Amino acid sequence: MRAAGAAIAGAWVLWAAGDARADGPAPDEDRAAFEAELFGAVETSTAISPPSAAPTSSRSDFEEELFGAPPPPPSAERAGETESSGILDALQDSLRNASDRLAIGGTLFLRIEYRALDEGEPSDFALVSPNTLDLYLDARPMDRVRTYVRGRLAYDPTAAADETADSADLTDPNATATLGGGGRPVTQVLLDQLWVKFDLARSVFLTVGKQRVRWGTGRIWNPTDFLNAQRFNPLALFDPRLGVSLVKLHVPFEDAGANLYAIVNLDGADQLDRVGAAARAEIAFDTTELAASASWRDGEPLRFGVDASAGVGDFELRAELALLYDDPLPVFSGDFDPSQPAALTGVRVRYREDSVLPQLVLGADVTLGYGDGQEAILGLEYFFNSTGYDGAELYPVLALAPTLGQQFPAQAEQIGLRTPTPAVFQPFYLGRHYLSLLALFPTPLGLEDHSLVLTGLVNLSDRSALVRVDHTVRLFRFLSFRSYINAHFGDLGEFRLGFELGPISPLGAGISLVPPLFELGFALSTTL
């Protein structure tokens, strides 16, 4: 069941095949398994210590350690050949030692996508090509220290050179212009990770710097993923979110199968009162893993969460529960008629201070056999989101809220909206009830280098849906080709977003958003 769980986790990020080393550390670096792999047992560490680790050694001992013990005296007729072979062996050993200390690699991701709408000419529909190159340096000068740097170059030749990225999500290769202006940049240079890991007395482990972290067991929804300001996008071909600037302290208890984490969150902390704190405890026994976490930061809700996964028979069961207290996000209500110039006059805003808001994820995976020894993995996940809405009527207001609060403070105050207004239009967290279905075929019809993933997402609250089909074929060991299609169904809502806004006062000109019909994409990914 653990193998099935690992396979299905890859499916939720759309089967991102490739060399594991090129991806750097695992997305959830807080797991005890990753820390064990990182630092290893002292007596079994394969890291090579620098020569200075043995200052009392003689020069001959040092040369023997670096180049190996000298060979026995050669015979006269083979002396020249042996001497040449020894030089080559010494050179290979030196290169191998340097390679063990520093690894350089990366991932190149080339993609093109065609986006069709319900209305309009096919030749006028958008074509985007968000390409990314990730490069990393992974240095391990000794078995107790590791330094990691990862940068990203993003390039979209389909973006206009004069477009700005004021409102675009710069960390997401799927980013498009948002309501209220902005666009896609042609080129971006981003820092993904920059951290150092070391231990104190081989008992306490510290990770300092910009690092990847992901909490929770959900495949699509992760309400207990408290440290990432940006929500995980399950439709992205890989997780494009950048690392978070943290000071993470990890204390493992190997005999009990438990781990404790204490975290200082420095991301965006331009003042001392903006520094956040978090804690997490994990324990594993038999086929069950349990975790409890908490997070606090000024201006954000106080968060508590628990997540669990367990193997029960043929099933892998997962659950997450997050509790949010004193959420600062506004809640919109009332009547909104987009055809009327005074449409906003019927809208009201309230805040939920001193309220506890639950978010619950329940999921299950099962592996079933079919055909001639083939297997398929089926997954189901439900999400209850008490912060969401029962319908799509107010979605345009959510999208326009930051613009309204920033540019028209008087009108915002009239409806009860505080300024400045944070982003309240959060995809995959707009509705109150969601359901996802998955069918993964690791080797469909016995094709060893192929995988097929069918995914369905339904917003039960606004009755919109999206169906996705992904196919991946490994062309070579380090090169894969992917194709996918998203089809949108149901009523106008989150997964089929569209509306027509008249000249709403005080925003002036109207806004037209045509619902999507489908997206068709192709991608090449290779490791360097």
Side-chain angles (χ1 to χ4, degrees), residues 403-416:
T403 299
L404 180 64
Q406 180 180 9
Q407 300 182 13
F408 305 96
Q411 288 78 5
E413 183 179 359
Q414 183 179 0
I415 65 174

Side-chain angles (χ1 to χ4, degrees), residues 82-377:
T82 304
E83 180 180 358
S84 175
S85 176
I87 294 175
L88 290 177
D89 290 343
L91 179 60
Q92 290 177 353
D93 289 342
S94 298
L95 293 175
R96 188 178 301 110
N97 291 345
S99 178
D100 287 342
R101 289 185 174 90
L102 177 65
I104 302 175
T107 304
L108 176 63
F109 201 93
L110 304 177
R111 173 169 160 248
I112 190 166
E113 181 178 287
Y114 176 71
R115 299 174 175 175
L117 304 178
D118 272 356
E119 302 174 4
E121 295 295 328
S123 59
D124 296 332
F125 295 152
L127 190 68
V128 298
S129 181
N131 307 303
T132 60
L133 172 64
D134 282 16
L135 294 175
Y136 71 81
L137 299 174
D138 189 353
R140 307 191 190 204
M142 59 183 298
D143 63 338
R144 299 174 62 182
V145 177
R146 180 184 180 188
T147 302
Y148 189 86
V149 182
R150 190 182 187 101
R152 175 172 300 165
L153 173 65
Y155 172 66
D156 187 348
T158 65
D162 58 349
E163 281 190 284
T164 62
D166 295 338
S167 301
D169 179 4
L170 301 185
T171 67
D172 188 349
N174 300 312
T176 57
T178 60
L179 295 174
R184 306 190 319 271
V186 177
T187 305
Q188 303 173 84
V189 178
L190 304 169
L191 178 63
D192 181 11
Q193 299 178 65
L194 178 69
W195 49 259
V196 59
K197 292 178 182 281
F198 58 95
D199 70 80
L200 301 177
R202 302 186 185 272
S203 300
V204 178
F205 302 92
L206 283 168
T207 308
V208 181
K210 192 177 180 69
Q211 54 195 279
R212 292 277 190 94
V213 60
R214 181 180 175 185
W215 290 349
T217 58
R219 309 301 190 198
I220 298 293
W221 296 279
N222 283 127
T224 63
D225 190 16
F226 296 153
L227 296 178
N228 285 292
Q230 181 186 355
R231 300 288 191 179
F232 171 62
N233 179 8
L235 298 180
L237 295 186
F238 63 94
D239 190 349
R241 296 178 298 177
L242 304 179
V244 186
S245 296
L246 308 172
V247 177
K248 182 176 65 177
L249 184 148
H250 169 214
V251 182
F253 298 90
E254 296 183 4
D255 294 340
N259 297 277
L260 293 180
Y261 300 90
I263 294 173
V264 177
N265 188 350
L266 300 174
D267 219 45
D270 55 348
Q271 296 178 350
L272 185 60
D273 60 1
R274 286 289 297 153
V275 175
R280 182 173 175 86
E282 301 173 342
I283 187 169
F285 51 91
D286 295 332
T287 61
T288 301
E289 297 180 2
L290 300 175
S293 52
S295 174
W296 174 87
R297 191 172 191 174
D298 186 44
E300 298 180 4
L302 180 63
R303 297 179 171 100
F304 299 94
V306 293
D307 58 85
S309 64
V312 180
D314 294 331
F315 291 87
E316 179 81 10
L317 306 181
R318 295 170 282 104
E320 284 189 46
L321 174 63
L323 301 176
L324 282 62
Y325 176 75
D326 199 15
D327 187 0
L329 290 181
V331 182
F332 293 84
S333 61
D335 298 325
F336 177 72
D337 186 354
S339 64
Q340 299 298 320
L344 292 175
T345 58
V347 176
R348 289 293 178 265
V349 177
R350 63 182 176 89
Y351 290 84
R352 297 171 288 199
E353 288 95 346
D354 301 326
S355 297
V356 178
L357 306 173
Q359 295 175 313
L360 175 66
V361 174
L362 298 174
D365 310 323
V366 62
T367 302
L368 302 175
Y370 73 96
D372 186 14
Q374 300 299 305
E375 289 186 339
I377 302 174

Side-chain angles (χ1 to χ4, degrees), residues 17-23 105-109 136 449 472-482 524-528:
D19 182 56
R21 192 193 73 165
D23 291 332
T107 304
L108 176 63
F109 201 93
Y136 71 81
D449 294 326
T472 301
V473 55
R474 186 182 296 272
L475 302 177
F476 301 99
R477 181 182 177 187
F478 299 112
L479 179 65
S480 297
F481 175 74
R482 315 175 189 193
L524 281 172
S525 62
T526 181
T527 54
L528 307 177

